[in-house]
Amino acid sequence: MKLSIDPIISAKNFFLDLFFPIRCLSCRKNHPSADGPKHYLCETCFLKIKFKIQPECAFCSARTINGRTCPFCLPQHYLNFLWAAADYQEPTIKKILWAFKYQFIKDLAKPLVRLLSVYLRHKKMDKFMETYRREILVIPVPLHFRRLNWRSYNQSELLARELCSEFGLNMQSDTLLRLKHHKPQAELGDKQERIKNAKNIFYCRQPDKIKNKTIILVDDISTTGSTLDECAKILKQSGAEKVIGLVVAKG
Ligand SMILES: [Zn+2]
Ligand SMILES: [Zn+2]
């Protein structure tokens, strides 16, 4: 069966490459030797991406150790940490995240998680994840089902899934639900509008699964921190001990 299908797929890929060559989204060059996701982001461009060296508080951007929420913001917020691999102003990251979300290129989950993995290992967070593997649960920021139907996939869930297989962690993607379909945060300009937009839109339907867990909440971008914080609020009210936001980029 496999023998008869593979040549058909390679012939199809050969003609697709010939007529619609996939170029690196960053340098626009075609890399014929690259396979799969490397088509979209070549090795040279991947290696040029600048990591976010200095961790910050998710809400006021003050420099903090390991992205901990600073003591001034903590009393009004729920998220304990924000781990952000890069800055959203990094040009390659901006292009890749946009294509991942709006050009429906699911394959980009792989280079994005590779980026997250390099960042996490550099910050020695892999050791933390290894030590507390049993207490950690990875949860992607959910989409409303109408949005999910429209896009056919949740980009945060793809990232979370890849991340779990990279670090051997457990994922729960049906525990946290998004109840309302609000405007995507990216379409709102004003900071206050974004914060209001994210209020009271999440729900936890299996609190027993997250009780006393350390949650790694995965999303592609964090701007005001309000979406992650709303999720963290529900998760903590449902019994989670600690919530860490993990995003590719901070805006
Ligand atoms: Zn390139
Ligand atoms: Zn702060």
Side-chain angles (χ1 to χ4, degrees):
M1 189 77 170
K2 198 166 187 280
L3 280 172
S4 62
I5 287 173
D6 280 351
I8 298 171
I9 292 172
S10 8
K12 188 183 151 205
N13 288 347
F14 172 78
F15 284 110
L16 279 174
D17 278 1
L18 194 66
F19 295 108
F20 307 101
I22 297 170
R23 295 174 194 282
C24 167
L25 289 165
S26 182
C27 66
R28 309 303 299 161
K29 283 183 195 148
N30 185 18
H31 299 272
S33 60
D35 58 336
K38 284 188 184 169
H39 273 306
Y40 295 106
L41 180 62
C42 75
E43 197 63 6
T44 315
C45 291
F46 180 86
L47 295 172
K48 275 189 201 160
I49 294 173
K50 286 195 193 83
F51 285 95
K52 196 170 178 65
I53 304 295
Q54 192 62 55
E56 297 170 354
C57 165
F59 307 102
C60 70
S61 297
R63 292 183 172 193
T64 59
I65 296 167
N66 290 339
R68 184 186 287 273
T69 300
C70 80
F72 301 105
C73 294
L74 195 61
Q76 309 102 48
H77 294 283
Y78 299 87
L79 191 74
N80 299 93
F81 289 87
L82 177 66
W83 297 346
D87 198 293
Y88 190 58
Q89 293 315 313
E90 156 70 49
T92 303
I93 285 292
K94 212 169 182 171
K95 280 181 210 161
I96 299 294
L97 283 178
W98 195 87
F100 184 45
K101 216 163 164 170
Y102 298 108
Q103 285 183 292
F104 310 102
I105 307 177
K106 287 160 84 173
D107 273 350
L108 286 171
K110 282 192 195 306
L112 288 172
V113 168
R114 186 180 164 206
L115 190 87
L116 283 175
S117 308
V118 174
Y119 166 81
L120 291 168
R121 290 199 169 96
H122 175 75
K123 294 280 181 190
K124 310 259 188 298
M125 305 300 190
D126 55 327
K127 298 274 178 283
F128 166 82
M129 295 194 288
E130 205 180 301
T131 312
Y132 297 101
R133 181 167 293 153
R134 285 189 187 170
E135 289 85 47
I136 292 174
L137 204 53
V138 176
I139 296 187
V141 169
L143 284 184
H144 186 263
F145 76 91
R146 247 187 285 158
R147 193 89 188 159
L148 189 62
N149 281 347
W150 174 76
R151 188 179 283 152
S152 90
Y153 64 94
N154 175 0
Q155 74 281 0
S156 305
E157 189 172 334
L158 295 184
L159 295 176
R161 200 174 293 282
E162 287 286 331
L163 189 87
C164 287
S165 73
E166 178 73 26
F167 292 100
L169 298 171
N170 295 315
M171 182 171 92
Q172 277 287 330
S173 59
D174 53 359
T175 302
L176 188 65
L177 301 179
R178 188 185 288 249
L179 297 176
K180 295 179 200 164
H181 173 57
H182 277 176
K183 273 189 170 182
Q185 295 288 72
E187 288 173 22
L188 299 169
D190 180 64
K191 186 178 171 179
Q192 288 311 318
E193 215 184 325
R194 287 183 183 205
I195 293 170
K196 215 171 100 195
N197 189 51
K199 289 270 180 225
N200 305 318
I201 60 172
F202 297 100
Y203 170 71
C204 177
R205 69 169 168 188
Q206 295 146 316
D208 50 310
K209 290 198 173 164
I210 59 159
K211 203 169 168 33
N212 302 327
K213 295 280 184 190
T214 291
I215 309 292
I216 298 185
L217 192 58
V218 178
D219 209 354
D220 48 354
I221 311 166
S222 171
T223 46
T224 59
S226 47
T227 302
L228 291 174
D229 205 41
E230 274 301 304
C231 290
K233 178 175 132 186
I234 300 300
L235 292 167
K236 281 192 163 171
Q237 286 172 349
S238 309
E241 193 179 304
K242 196 183 285 178
V243 182
I244 300 166
L246 174 64
V247 294
V248 176
K250 186 172 185 286

